[in-house]
Amino acid sequence: MANKSPLLNVIFQSLNKVTRKLLRDFGEIENLQLSPNSIMEFVSKTENQINISLNEDLYKARPDWAFKSSVNKNEKDKYYWIIDTLNGKINFSHGFPHFAISIAVEYNNEIVTAVIIDPLRDEIYFAEKGKGSFLNDRRIRVSKRNALNSCIFSIHNDITLNSNLNNKKEYEIIKDLVFQNSLVIREFGSSALSFAWLASGKIDCFLSNNLNMNEVACGELLIKEAGGYISNLKSVSPNQVFGEALIAANPVIHREILKKYKLLNNKSK
């Protein structure tokens, strides 16, 4: 994909501007002699400055487009920006080198463009509807592994005290299944990069829980355009359900996990 669309170029330019700020602030984390609360204030300030910069640049480039939040009521034939300013915030605040920024574009309730940037590795994952998924200038695909015991799984657990009890139960069942069947399990702390690594075949399956709209938007298109599947445990697309347990994988592994989940869920009733 040598010739990137004007829209992708707008997003790349906006991201390149803020990643320099993000990397400078990340370099300061280890040198800060502050209390944990003060460090989180520093990180929140960084996040806010990045958000302001992205909003200003994207608005300037597309003044007719809106910025999507969970409270928006979608208008037909209108474009929306969906931004996840600092995915992996806890990692960032501890000086752990694994975090990302993502920007998606939604049109008529469908994600049509997605970009995830890993600033530390200088990697940009992106996809446009019908054009495939890419890492920098290289086309990427999900892995072709077809046996659970040969797969690397990534899990991301954001269960809170206020989480839906049914969601907790679903997640625990599927997590037990993963621990019983997978080759190895990793918890990286950045859902965006787990989505990106799944799309590029670095990992084979991603299990997440309680992700919001901003966290899911980019991963959904990136995985689909890389030949993978992503859904909740009832095979419903994630753009229709947020906060539930999600499974993302190549078609064979996705189907196998849902099959095993249904058997375990029936036995637990």
Side-chain angles (χ1 to χ4, degrees):
M1 193 173 182
N3 296 319
K4 298 180 179 66
S5 70
L7 176 56
L8 282 175
N9 284 325
V10 164
I11 296 173
F12 290 170
Q13 289 171 14
S14 299
L15 286 171
N16 285 335
K17 182 178 175 181
V18 298
T19 51
R20 291 193 294 270
K21 160 70 175 171
L22 187 64
L23 290 175
R24 282 197 303 269
D25 286 2
F26 181 68
E28 291 294 320
I29 291 290
E30 291 184 352
N31 299 323
L32 292 175
Q33 302 297 317
L34 300 172
S35 68
N37 287 341
S38 297
I39 289 177
M40 289 310 296
E41 287 176 8
F42 175 83
V43 173
S44 294
K45 183 179 179 181
T46 297
E47 188 176 25
N48 186 54
Q49 290 172 339
I50 290 171
N51 191 54
I52 290 171
S53 179
L54 289 176
N55 275 261
E56 288 177 348
D57 286 352
L58 297 176
Y59 176 77
K60 183 178 180 180
R62 299 289 190 276
D64 295 332
W65 294 14
F67 290 85
K68 184 79 176 284
S69 72
S70 58
V71 298
N72 280 126
K73 183 177 181 181
N74 277 17
E75 296 179 34
K76 191 175 181 181
D77 299 327
K78 187 174 182 69
Y79 286 90
Y80 291 91
W81 298 106
I82 303 177
I83 301 173
D84 191 6
T85 309
L86 180 52
N87 187 280
K89 185 175 179 178
I90 299 300
N91 286 349
F92 184 91
S93 68
H94 284 75
F96 186 80
H98 196 74
F99 50 86
I101 306 173
S102 70
I103 298 175
V105 175
E106 183 184 272
Y107 181 70
N108 286 341
N109 291 313
E110 185 177 17
I111 304 299
V112 295
T113 303
V115 179
I116 297 172
I117 185 167
D118 179 346
L120 289 168
R121 296 175 181 83
D122 196 24
E123 293 182 339
I124 300 181
Y125 298 83
F126 61 93
E128 291 184 292
K129 183 184 175 184
K131 297 182 180 180
S133 291
F134 294 81
L135 165 54
N136 296 337
D137 288 321
R138 177 175 62 85
R139 181 74 183 265
I140 55 175
R141 302 284 297 181
V142 295
S143 78
K144 295 182 179 180
R145 293 183 182 86
N146 55 19
L148 292 181
N149 61 9
S150 68
C151 290
I152 293 179
F153 281 68
S154 172
I155 60 174
H156 186 85
N157 183 6
D158 271 342
I159 289 178
T160 66
L161 292 176
N162 296 322
S163 298
N164 184 291
L165 289 175
N166 288 331
N167 293 348
K168 290 180 181 179
K169 178 184 175 183
E170 288 179 346
Y171 181 81
E172 290 304 319
I173 291 174
I174 203 76
K175 188 173 71 172
D176 288 344
L177 187 158
V178 167
F179 274 90
Q180 292 168 16
N181 292 276
S182 63
L183 172 67
V184 67
I185 298 166
R186 298 285 184 258
E187 188 163 5
F188 298 111
S190 170
S191 57
L193 290 182
S194 287
F195 283 136
W197 286 9
L198 175 71
S200 59
K202 293 181 176 73
I203 60 175
D204 306 294
C205 183
F206 179 45
L207 164 66
S208 63
N209 189 72
N210 209 36
L211 296 181
N212 61 38
M213 172 195 67
N214 302 60
E215 295 170 310
V216 173
C218 278
E220 179 187 357
L221 181 65
L222 200 69
I223 289 166
K224 286 181 178 179
E225 289 293 323
Y229 283 6
I230 177 171
S231 74
N232 72 356
L233 300 179
K234 299 179 180 67
S235 298
V236 177
S237 174
N239 67 355
Q240 301 177 43
V241 288
F242 299 109
E244 295 189 12
L246 296 178
I247 291 290
N250 68 41
V252 174
I253 296 300
H254 186 272
R255 184 169 58 249
E256 182 67 16
I257 289 175
L258 289 183
K259 179 181 176 181
K260 287 181 176 291
Y261 165 74
K262 289 176 183 177
L263 291 173
L264 285 174
N265 192 38
N266 289 336
K267 287 181 181 179
S268 67
K269 291 180 179 178

